[in-house]
RNA sequence: GGCGGCAUAGCCAAGUGGUAAGGCAGAGGACUGCAAAUCCUCCAUUCCCCAGUUCAAAUCUGGGUGCCGCCUCCA
C-alpha cells in the first residue's frame, strides 16, 4: 500500500509503526459554528482511510480533536452572550449530528483542548526550559530560529517567508514568525492558571500535546486539509520535535479543497455551504458518494447539479443491490447452476483485486467507486440472465453480496440497503420462466 | 515577491513510458402491455500549446498559455 506523503512529496510504501496497528490523528474543527462542506471532505475521506485500514485487518487508533478554546469561539460567544465553553459544547454536539449523518465513524478518542490544559502546560514548560520558547509578558512564544528544521513540511525557509510577510510585526517577538504557545488572559476570556499567569493555549500546541498523549512519538498518519500544512502542521512539528518527540508523525496526508465555481470554499470568503443545508436537499449517502468520487488530493467543485449527478450514480449501485436481494429472496429451484456462475465468481474476485489495488494506491476512491459500478453491472447481468435460480446460483449471489458489503464497509455509502419490500411480481415471473 | 498544484470527450473523472477506465448526458437496439429498471452497441486517432528525449509519451524534459491554492484564521 502506498500513501502520498506531503512531507516527501511522493508516494511511499506504507509501513505502520506497529505491525498490526495504525495510529492516526486527524485535525478536527474549531467548534464555533455548524460544519460546512469543506469540513466534511476530510471527515469523510479520513474516515474512509480508516475503514480501508480496518478492511485490511489493521487495528486503527483514530484520534480527532476538538478545538474548543479559541479566539473565534470567544468572539462568537460574546455575540451570542453565551459562555464560550458552553458554545463550543453545543457545536460539538452539532458536529456529531452532521458527521453521524454522513456515516462517519466516531474516533476512538475525541480529545478537547479544555480537558488537556495540564498536558499543554507541561509541554510548553519543557520547550521553555530547552530554550525553544520564551515568555513575553503573559504570553509564551515558540522561537522558530531555535528549530533548524522549521519549514521542512511546507517546503519553505524562514527567509522565503520574510519576503512576503503580511502580518503586522509584534516587536516583542524575537522573530516575526514566532508563534504563540500560550496567550495571557484578557478580561472575560476563559483562562487557566499557568507558570506564566492566567491564560489559554495557542492554537497549534494542542495537537502536539494531545497527539503525543494518545499516540506517542512517530505515530503513523497525520491528516487534515491542505491549508493546515502551513502554519498549523509546520508548527506542530516544530513544537513536538523540538521537545524531543521525534519524529512527530510519519505520513502526512492532506486533502484538497472543495471549491465553488473553482474557488476555494472558505469561511473568510463567505462562499460556504453548511452540511445541514445540503442535507436538506440531498440524502447523506449521496453527499458521501460525491465526496469520494474524486481523488482526495484534487479540488472538488460543488454545486447542486453535481450532487444530483452523484445521486444518479449511487442509484445505479443501489438498484443492483436491490435486484440482487430480490433474486436471493426467491426460493431456489432444483437443477443446475447458471452456466455463467463460474465466470461470474471469477469476475467477482478480480473486481475485489481491482478495488484493493485502487485503494492501495494512495486511497484512490475515485477508481474504487468505478469498480463498484462494474460490480453493479456484473450483478445486474447475472441476476437478469434467464433461467431458474438454483441453490448453486444463490451461492454465487451470496459471494456477490459479500463483496458488496466489503466495498461498502470501506466506502460507507449504503447505510441501509433496502430489503425487497416492494417485491416486483413481474421479475418473479421472469425469473421462473 | 517566495512556494506549490492543476489543465483528459457536452459535463464529472481515473490513468506517471506501451498505444485513452468508469459515471452522467446523448444516439441506436434488446426486453417490456406502456413506463421504469436492466442488458448490448455507438459516443476523445487523442489527452491546453510548442519543441525535445525515446522504438514508443496523456504520461519524461524544456519553454509558453490558462486556472487554482499556500505564504493571515480557515478542512
Amino acid at each position: 500500500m502506498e500513501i502520498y506523503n506531503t512531507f516527501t512529496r511522493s508516494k511511499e510504501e506504507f509501513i505502520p509503526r506497529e505491525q498490526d496497528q495504525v495510529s492516526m490523528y486527524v485535525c478536527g474543527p474549531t467548534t464555533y459554528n455548524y460544519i460546512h462542506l469543506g469540513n466534511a471532505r476530510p471527515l469523510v475521506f479520513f474516515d474512509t482511510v480508516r475503514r480501508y485500514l480496518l478492511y485490511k485487518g489493521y487495528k486503527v487508533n483514530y484520534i480527532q480533536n476538538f478545538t474548543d478554546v479559541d479566539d473565534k469561539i470567544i468572539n462568537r460567544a460574546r455575540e451570542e452572550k453565551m459562555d464560550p465553553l458552553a458554545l463550543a459544547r453545543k457545536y460539538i454536539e452539532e458536529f456529531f449530528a452532521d458527521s453521524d449523518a454522513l456515516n462517519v465513524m466516531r474516533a476512538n478518542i475525541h480529545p478537547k483542548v479544555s480537558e488537556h490544559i495540564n498536558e499543554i502546560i507541561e509541554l510548553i514548560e519543557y520547550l521553555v526550559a530547552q530554550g525553544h520558547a520564551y515568555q513575553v509578558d503573559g504570553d509564551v512564544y515558540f522561537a522558530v530560529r531555535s528549530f533548524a528544521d522549521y519549514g521542512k513540511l511546507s517546503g519553505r525557509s524562514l527567509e522565503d517567508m520574510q519576503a512576503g510577510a503580511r502580518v503586522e510585526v509584534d516587536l516583542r517577538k524575537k522573530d516575526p514568525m514566532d508563534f504563540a504557545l500560550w496567550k495571557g488572559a484578557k478580561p472575560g476570556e476563559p483562562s487557566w492558571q499557568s507558570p506564566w499567569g492566567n491564560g489559554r493555549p495557542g492554537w497549534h500546541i494542542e495537537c502536539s500535546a494531545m497527539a503525543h498523549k494518545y499516540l506517542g512519538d512517530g505515530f503513523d498518519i497525520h491528516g487534515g486539509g491542505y491549508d493546515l500544512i502551513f502554519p498549523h502542521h509546520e508548527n506542530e512539528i516544530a513544537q513536538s520535535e523540538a521537545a524531543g518527540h521525534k519524529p512527530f508523525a510519519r505520513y502526512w496526508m492532506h486533502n484538497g479543497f472543495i471549491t465553488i465555481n473553482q474557488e476555494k470554499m472558505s469561511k473568510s470568503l463567505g462562499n460556504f455551504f453548511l452540511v445541514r443545508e445540503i442535507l436538506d436537499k440531498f440524502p447523506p449517502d449521496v453527499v458521501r458518494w460525491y465526496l469520494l468520487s474524486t481523488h482526495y488530493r484534487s479540488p472538488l467543485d460543488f454545486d447542486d447539479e453535481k450532487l444530483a449527478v452523484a445521486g444518479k450514480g449511487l442509484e445505479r449501485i443501489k438498484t443492483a443491490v436491490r435486484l440482487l436481494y430480490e433474486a436471493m429472496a426467491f426460493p431456489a429451484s432444483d437443477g443446475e447452476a447458471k452456466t455463467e456462475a463460474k465466470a461470474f465468481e471469477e469476475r467477482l474476485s478480480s473486481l475485489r483485486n481491482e478495488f484493493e489495488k485502487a485503494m492501495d494506491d494512495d486511497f484512490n476512491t475515485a477508481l474504487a467507486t468505478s469498480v463498484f459500478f462494474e460490480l453493479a453491472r456484473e450483478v445486474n447481468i447475472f441476476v437478469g440472465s434467464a433461467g431458474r435460480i438454483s441453490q448453486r446460483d444463490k451461492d454465487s449471489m451470496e459471494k456477490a453480496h459479500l463483496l458488496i458489503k466489503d466495498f461498502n464497509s470501506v466506502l460507507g455509502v449504503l447505510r441501509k440497503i433496502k430489503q425487497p419490500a416492494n417485491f416486483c411480481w413481474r421479475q418473479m415471473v421472469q425469473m421462473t420462466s
Side-chain angles (χ1 to χ4, degrees):
Chain A
M1 183 162 76
E2 292 198 323
I3 292 181
Y4 181 88
N5 190 348
T6 304
F7 186 66
T8 55
R9 295 175 195 223
S10 60
K11 286 182 192 170
E12 293 175 14
E13 181 63 29
F14 178 63
I15 301 163
R17 180 177 57 181
E18 295 162 68
Q19 202 183 349
D20 302 324
Q21 183 162 148
V22 177
S23 43
M24 293 179 72
Y25 186 97
V26 178
C27 286
T30 300
T31 51
Y32 68 105
N33 195 175
Y34 301 104
I35 60 169
H36 64 249
L37 225 213
N39 299 301
R41 169 120 97 149
L43 256 174
V44 167
F45 171 67
F46 287 108
D47 177 63
T48 303
V49 169
R50 175 196 197 175
R51 286 164 170 271
Y52 186 60
L53 292 167
L54 291 170
Y55 168 88
K56 298 271 276 188
Y58 291 108
K59 274 184 247 163
V60 180
N61 194 194
Y62 191 99
I63 309 295
Q64 181 164 49
N65 68 297
F66 285 118
T67 301
D68 65 344
V69 178
D70 175 88
D71 289 346
K72 291 187 292 285
I73 293 171
I74 292 166
N75 293 338
R76 182 77 186 254
R78 196 166 285 147
E79 286 166 21
E80 311 227 333
K81 298 186 167 53
M82 275 181 83
D83 172 63
L85 286 170
L87 180 111
R89 267 198 301 279
K90 169 189 167 184
Y91 285 111
I92 285 172
E93 290 193 14
E94 301 295 356
F95 167 91
F96 281 129
D98 289 334
S99 71
D100 288 351
L102 291 171
N103 203 196
V104 171
M105 294 169 69
R106 301 252 178 147
N108 295 277
I109 301 171
H110 282 280
K112 302 185 189 82
V113 176
S114 62
E115 293 169 2
H116 293 78
I117 301 296
N118 289 145
E119 288 86 345
I120 291 170
I121 288 174
E122 275 174 34
L123 179 56
I124 298 174
E125 280 187 301
Y126 187 73
L127 288 170
V128 171
Q130 296 299 307
H132 288 294
Y134 56 94
Q135 181 179 0
V136 178
D137 305 326
D139 301 335
V140 179
Y141 291 96
F142 183 88
V144 293
R145 294 281 172 189
S146 76
F147 183 67
D149 285 340
Y150 194 77
K152 69 176 177 178
L153 176 68
S154 54
R156 50 190 103 198
S157 67
L158 283 167
E159 283 61 39
D160 291 340
M161 291 184 279
Q162 303 303 326
R166 282 189 267 161
V167 254
E168 76 285 7
V169 178
D170 182 341
L171 294 174
R172 302 175 310 157
K173 295 199 282 188
K174 292 181 179 170
D175 186 284
M177 297 309 294
D178 288 351
F179 54 90
L181 299 175
W182 188 262
K183 297 177 173 186
K186 297 191 192 108
E189 292 183 354
S191 65
W192 290 264
Q193 285 190 331
S194 81
W196 317 283
N198 277 115
R200 60 192 166 94
W203 176 34
H204 317 292
I205 193 71
E206 62 187 71
C207 290
S208 287
M210 298 190 290
H212 179 256
K213 174 174 180 179
Y214 294 107
L215 299 176
D217 295 344
F219 62 89
D220 295 310
I221 297 173
H222 192 130
Y226 252 99
D227 52 357
L228 293 184
I229 295 173
F230 189 90
H232 188 54
H233 289 162
E234 193 69 69
N235 291 353
E236 286 182 34
I237 290 175
Q239 294 160 342
S240 293
E241 298 195 354
H245 304 316
K246 202 170 174 176
F248 177 47
R250 301 168 58 243
Y251 297 86
W252 288 88
M253 297 180 69
H254 294 95
N255 63 275
F257 298 124
I258 300 287
T259 58
I260 302 284
N261 295 324
Q262 326 300 331
E263 280 198 329
K264 178 183 174 183
M265 175 186 289
S266 77
K267 289 175 183 169
S268 38
L269 288 174
N271 61 347
F272 61 89
F273 290 82
L274 298 178
V275 167
R276 57 190 57 199
E277 291 174 329
I278 294 167
L279 292 180
D280 281 342
K281 293 199 264 185
F282 297 93
D285 49 5
V286 169
V287 176
R288 188 165 169 119
W289 179 257
Y290 155 79
L291 288 170
L292 295 175
S293 65
T294 296
H295 187 88
Y296 77 95
R297 282 187 281 116
S298 301
L300 210 206
D301 203 59
F302 167 79
D303 60 47
D304 282 7
E305 199 190 334
K306 289 181 168 104
L307 266 184
V309 168
K312 283 186 178 179
L314 219 210
E315 203 49 50
R316 187 175 158 71
I317 305 287
K318 287 183 172 178
T319 299
V321 175
R322 205 184 65 242
L323 292 174
L324 180 68
Y325 277 176
E326 289 177 0
M328 286 170 56
F330 197 73
S333 60
D334 296 332
E336 298 295 302
K338 292 173 190 271
T339 51
E340 302 89 340
K342 186 153 185 279
F344 178 59
E345 291 187 8
E346 282 169 3
R347 185 77 178 115
L348 292 178
S349 72
S350 81
L351 287 173
R352 180 185 293 278
N353 285 340
E354 285 178 39
F355 182 86
E356 291 179 4
K357 203 174 146 205
M359 292 301 290
D360 279 344
D361 183 12
D362 193 29
F363 306 98
N364 191 336
T365 56
L367 232 198
T369 57
S370 80
V371 177
F372 214 157
F373 278 120
E374 292 183 36
L375 172 57
R377 179 190 289 109
E378 296 299 332
V379 166
N380 289 336
I381 293 172
F382 188 71
V383 167
S385 63
R388 293 163 184 280
I389 296 176
S390 68
Q391 189 52 50
R392 177 68 181 73
D393 293 328
K394 287 198 156 201
D395 292 345
S396 296
M397 290 179 188
E398 189 50 54
K399 286 182 180 164
H401 184 205
L402 181 65
L403 190 56
I404 288 167
K405 284 200 287 191
D406 281 348
F407 283 9
N408 190 235
S409 75
V410 175
L411 300 175
V413 288
L414 305 171
R415 181 66 77 92
K416 213 187 292 167
I417 298 171
K418 251 187 258 162
Q419 296 299 323
N422 41 359
F423 196 87
C424 175
W425 174 250
R426 177 173 303 107
Q427 272 158 341
M428 190 188 224
V429 172
Q430 196 181 329
M431 285 187 293
T432 49
S433 61

